[in-house]
Amino acid sequence: MAEERIIADMWFDPRCPWAWITSRWLLEVERVRPVDVRFHVMSLSILNEGRDDIPQRYKEGLAKGWGPVRVAIAAEQKFGNEVLRPLYTALGTRIHHEKQELGRELYETVLTDAGLPAQLADYADSTEFDEQLRESHFAGMNPVGMDVGTPVIHVPGEDGKLIAFFGPVITPAPKGEAAGRLWDGTLLVAGTPGFFEIKRSRDVGPVFD
């Protein structure tokens, strides 16, 4: 009898390199564990609204960060959640691997890559779906708190209770059974009542392979 598959929901901001690496790890997990990954949009620009304790250059980046998440949420609203997987893959590839600048040219390219209408790039400067963007953002963030960023993952626990956590922050993304072992360990610690944090200082930057 085949093992019942579970859904792992991941929230991403396309600009975050660490979320991108975690997302590629999750796709490896799908191959070696009974897990199906479902992607959702969060926004670092929303998360950091109203903060005065961040550097000006970071604020400028957050201002630019509205474009890709607005395009992503518009695509989801118009064509369904399933389009986020190919759209996120296209965004991440262009942003993190090819180092392309945020802007209309990028959005039109990735929309075409994902099989979506290039005209959705219009929503990069539109507030039409900001309410839905905030709903998606807080659906992911509320269970883990606002003192973390992305990636955020939600998984159903064995007792039916939600297991929600930030991370794991990894580089590079493990492959094959190594990805599965990390998944097993992550669920073990994240599903332990009263567990909050394991952390050490990062001594390398994100590695995209």
Side-chain angles (χ1 to χ4, degrees):
M1 183 176 179
E3 189 174 357
E4 184 178 357
R5 298 183 70 84
I6 65 169
I7 292 176
D9 291 289
M10 177 188 157
W11 276 259
F12 69 91
D13 183 310
R15 295 178 62 243
C16 178
W18 301 105
W20 171 248
I21 294 171
T22 298
S23 74
R24 301 308 93 179
W25 163 65
L26 285 175
L27 297 185
E28 281 290 306
V29 171
E30 278 189 331
R31 297 176 54 244
V32 296
R33 295 294 185 270
V35 175
D36 294 316
V37 181
R38 186 166 56 190
F39 293 105
H40 306 273
V41 186
M42 65 84 68
S43 170
L44 293 172
S45 299
I46 292 175
L47 185 67
N48 290 282
E49 277 182 326
R51 287 187 57 186
D52 297 322
D53 59 336
I54 55 178
Q56 182 60 34
R57 61 180 178 81
Y58 191 60
K59 290 182 180 179
E60 293 171 358
L62 292 173
K64 294 179 181 178
W66 286 99
V69 294
R70 281 173 168 161
V71 170
I73 201 70
E76 182 184 29
Q77 291 298 307
K78 288 182 172 290
F79 295 99
N81 174 264
E82 64 273 10
V83 305
L84 286 182
R85 177 183 289 231
L87 180 56
Y88 183 27
T89 292
L91 279 163
T93 300
R94 298 279 181 173
I95 292 171
H96 302 299
H97 293 262
E98 301 179 11
K99 310 301 181 186
Q100 295 189 15
E101 292 291 328
L102 300 182
R104 187 175 184 92
E105 182 178 356
L106 169 67
Y107 306 142
E108 289 182 346
T109 299
V110 299
L111 287 163
T112 301
D113 290 346
L116 293 165
Q119 291 81 2
L120 285 171
D122 293 342
Y123 289 96
D125 300 313
S126 169
T127 61
E128 181 175 344
F129 293 113
D130 278 11
E131 180 179 351
Q132 291 85 349
L133 174 60
R134 291 178 183 277
E135 288 176 356
S136 179
H137 173 89
F138 287 109
M141 299 305 298
N142 282 342
V144 295
M146 300 301 160
D147 58 344
V148 299
T150 180
V152 162
I153 298 172
H154 294 186
V155 184
E158 293 182 359
D159 57 0
K161 294 182 179 179
L162 179 68
I163 300 174
F165 53 91
F166 164 74
V169 176
I170 48 176
T171 194
K175 303 294 192 296
E177 184 57 24
R181 290 195 300 271
L182 177 58
W183 175 255
D184 298 339
T186 298
L187 291 193
L188 177 63
V189 296
T192 299
F195 174 83
F196 293 107
E197 187 172 4
I198 289 178
K199 191 172 183 178
R200 57 187 173 192
S201 298
R202 295 196 297 264
D203 58 2
V204 295
V207 177
F208 310 118
D209 59 358

